[in-house]
Amino acid sequence: MKILVINAGSSSLKYQLIAMETEQVIAKGTCERIGIPGGNLTHKANGKTFVVEQEMASHTDAISLVLAELVDKEAGVISSMDEIDAVGHRVVASGEAFTKTTLVDDEVMKTMDEIAELAPLHNPAAILGINACREVMPEKKMALVFDTSFHATMPDYAYLYAIDYDDYKKYKVRKYGAHGTSHKYVAGEAARYLGKKPEELKIITCHLGNGSSISAVDGGKCIDTSMGFTPLAGVPMGTRSGDIDVAAIDFLCKKKGMTMEEGLVYLNKQCGMKGISGVSSDFRDLTAARDAGNYRAALALKMFTYSCKRYVGSYMAALGGLDCIVFTAGIGENTPHIRKAIAGGLEAFGVVIDDEKNNCKNDGTIHDIAADTSRVRVLVIPTNEELVIARETAALL
Ligand code: AMP
């Protein structure tokens, strides 16, 4: 069985073709500058990289180009589209409308349109990608895999904001979380690596990348997560503020002459590591600047790790114990000093990092960076959201 995984952005579209028998990626690539002059497709298959310079006026053009590449004589990996059994689409937000992976039909797409406002930067782009696939491959079964699904098991007292309950009921304003596909994958991999059933484990998963979120996973189910109604909440991120007193936003908007909408753009794009450091949103740049003596870069990194540590501590309490901490995504997989700053100093709670093991290279495998004496295992696990999307799609068929 072969599953095509699609992750559509507003002007880009990433794809992977995965053979489910081996769970190997047989082709992958990215269409860039959809609807913008200078469109191109980078396609990796058969051990080579192919670049196609071609304008793509729409996502439909992009999907058509991807399919042409997949069956191409040189760059292709399948002889015809018939070899694609189904398509799995990544969708950021589901609201309360969908709590699990869902097969696409007209009714589902109508609901998708209705909930698009929950993730205005992401869901409309996913809808473009889904509609394009339905147009180009009308006969294919398609599944929607939601980033929020894994968090659907949070109890009401964890996902509710303390607002008027009637307003929650009416407007569905609550915590939904994000990166659920990644949290789900690494929690499952941790259990597999430790030779335990997911039901036996209490895990804190730290997805640390440009966007970062931390989840508490009890017996394989998410019971709390750091992101909120949108991915703005939680720890400070590359360009996002993370948690902040809303009254401070109102104050800032008035002082800076911003509307609320402009204030939200400011909080999403100009804050976090970038805002504090004045250097960069990228942790490699921040680390280099800190090492060169830049105070604000050091401060940004300290604020990030302190916030992550507080979430880890609070989730230990929420879980009532802890068996494992997982680090994943760009920063979690690649940055020992960040892992050490977050999970170090927790010896009183049974977490002991082994500095030598923590210096492991990211070689695509799982590393246990805890000391032999550590009661809690600390794992670095490369995430694989596309594989989860493919698995969920295959399971639904
Ligand atoms: P992501 O959003 O998961 O792609 O993560 C992006 C973040 O991970 C950026 O802040 C990068 O600085 C960091 N990152 C990605 N790759 C590496 C690497 N090889 N070494 C250090 N940091 C990395």
Side-chain angles (χ1 to χ4, degrees):
M1 180 186 282
K2 293 187 182 70
I3 305 286
L4 180 62
V5 176
I6 300 285
N7 183 353
S10 53
S11 66
S12 70
L13 186 143
K14 292 188 190 143
Y15 62 93
Q16 288 195 2
L17 186 65
I18 301 180
M20 296 315 292
E21 292 73 17
T22 54
E23 295 196 331
Q24 291 301 308
V25 177
I26 48 181
K28 67 176 180 180
T30 310
C31 298
E32 282 172 314
R33 303 183 68 84
I34 301 169
I36 306 171
N40 64 79
L41 162 66
T42 306
H43 175 85
K44 294 185 182 176
N46 306 323
K48 291 188 196 146
T49 300
F50 304 85
V51 178
V52 184
E53 308 277 349
Q54 190 170 313
E55 303 294 310
M56 292 164 278
S58 64
H59 284 66
T60 308
D61 285 356
I63 290 288
S64 302
L65 189 59
V66 168
L67 294 177
E69 208 59 8
L70 288 172
V71 299
D72 183 76
K73 269 212 167 62
E74 199 192 341
V77 289
I78 50 176
S79 53
S80 84
M81 260 168 56
D82 294 345
E83 286 187 47
I84 300 173
D85 293 280
V87 183
H89 291 274
R90 177 187 180 210
V91 183
V92 166
S94 67
E96 290 188 338
F98 305 103
T99 54
K100 52 183 195 276
T101 298
T102 303
L103 270 184
V104 172
D105 61 23
D106 290 343
E107 197 59 32
V108 164
M109 290 314 292
K110 202 165 142 252
T111 310
M112 282 289 290
D113 285 334
E114 285 163 13
I115 62 170
E117 64 179 359
L118 287 176
L121 297 179
H122 298 103
N123 271 32
I127 292 172
L128 285 175
I130 299 159
N131 286 338
C133 286
R134 292 186 88 197
E135 196 179 327
V136 179
M137 302 176 270
E139 74 295 349
K140 293 276 180 249
K141 283 212 162 33
M142 297 193 193
L144 305 185
V145 183
F146 299 93
D147 277 358
T148 42
S149 296
F150 184 58
H151 305 305
T153 47
M154 284 189 287
D156 49 7
Y157 56 80
Y159 70 65
L160 279 173
Y161 294 124
I163 55 171
D164 185 327
Y165 190 79
D166 291 336
D167 287 335
Y168 152 63
K169 287 306 262 184
K170 193 164 168 196
Y171 301 113
K172 307 286 182 215
V173 173
R174 47 160 283 186
K175 182 152 126 173
Y176 290 108
H179 298 139
T181 315
S182 177
H183 289 287
K184 177 178 184 165
Y185 176 76
V186 296
E189 282 294 282
R192 192 182 59 76
Y193 181 84
L194 297 172
K196 298 260 169 117
K197 293 195 185 112
E199 301 81 60
E200 297 172 327
L201 292 170
K202 293 179 187 295
I203 306 179
I204 295 174
T205 48
C206 306
H207 176 110
L208 311 180
N210 267 326
S212 296
S213 64
I214 300 181
S215 293
V217 184
D218 197 358
K221 292 196 165 69
C222 176
I223 61 153
D224 208 344
T225 194
S226 61
M227 280 180 168
F229 179 64
T230 74
L232 178 57
V235 301
M237 299 166 231
T239 61
R240 288 174 238 169
S241 64
D243 297 333
I244 183 167
D245 182 341
V246 245
I249 307 311
D250 177 56
F251 186 84
L252 260 179
C253 283
K254 284 179 183 143
K255 289 284 177 198
K256 286 171 69 82
M258 298 187 292
T259 62
M260 190 60 183
E261 230 160 67
E262 288 165 343
L264 282 173
V265 173
Y266 165 83
L267 289 174
N268 272 293
K269 306 262 186 214
Q270 301 298 332
C271 294
M273 301 296 100
K274 184 179 165 189
I276 291 294
S277 71
V279 172
S280 172
S281 63
D282 190 293
F283 276 61
R284 284 166 288 199
D285 300 340
L286 291 167
T287 303
R290 180 201 67 175
D291 292 349
N294 184 306
Y295 161 75
R296 281 175 54 184
L299 174 64
L301 290 171
K302 186 70 198 170
M303 286 174 70
F304 176 76
T305 55
Y306 177 66
S307 177
C308 290
K309 191 189 277 287
R310 282 193 340 184
Y311 268 102
V312 168
S314 67
Y315 287 166
M316 277 186 199
L319 288 163
L322 185 64
D323 299 299
C324 179
I325 299 174
V326 178
F327 288 102
T328 193
I331 299 158
E333 292 169 30
N334 292 297
T335 319
H337 75 84
I338 295 287
R339 295 193 294 251
K340 171 80 179 183
I342 295 169
L346 298 178
E347 291 80 7
F349 303 95
V351 183
V352 187
I353 298 287
D354 180 316
D355 289 337
E356 209 169 300
K357 290 181 184 168
N358 185 32
N359 271 328
C360 59
K361 288 267 165 294
N362 182 1
D363 56 5
T365 67
I366 298 178
H367 293 270
D368 184 350
I369 61 167
D372 295 340
T373 52
S374 184
R375 190 176 49 71
V376 175
R377 303 326 305 163
V378 183
L379 304 179
V380 180
I381 305 184
T383 195
N384 194 340
E385 292 163 273
E386 291 78 11
L387 182 56
V388 176
I389 295 171
R391 282 179 184 165
E392 298 251 328
T393 304
L396 203 63
L397 295 183

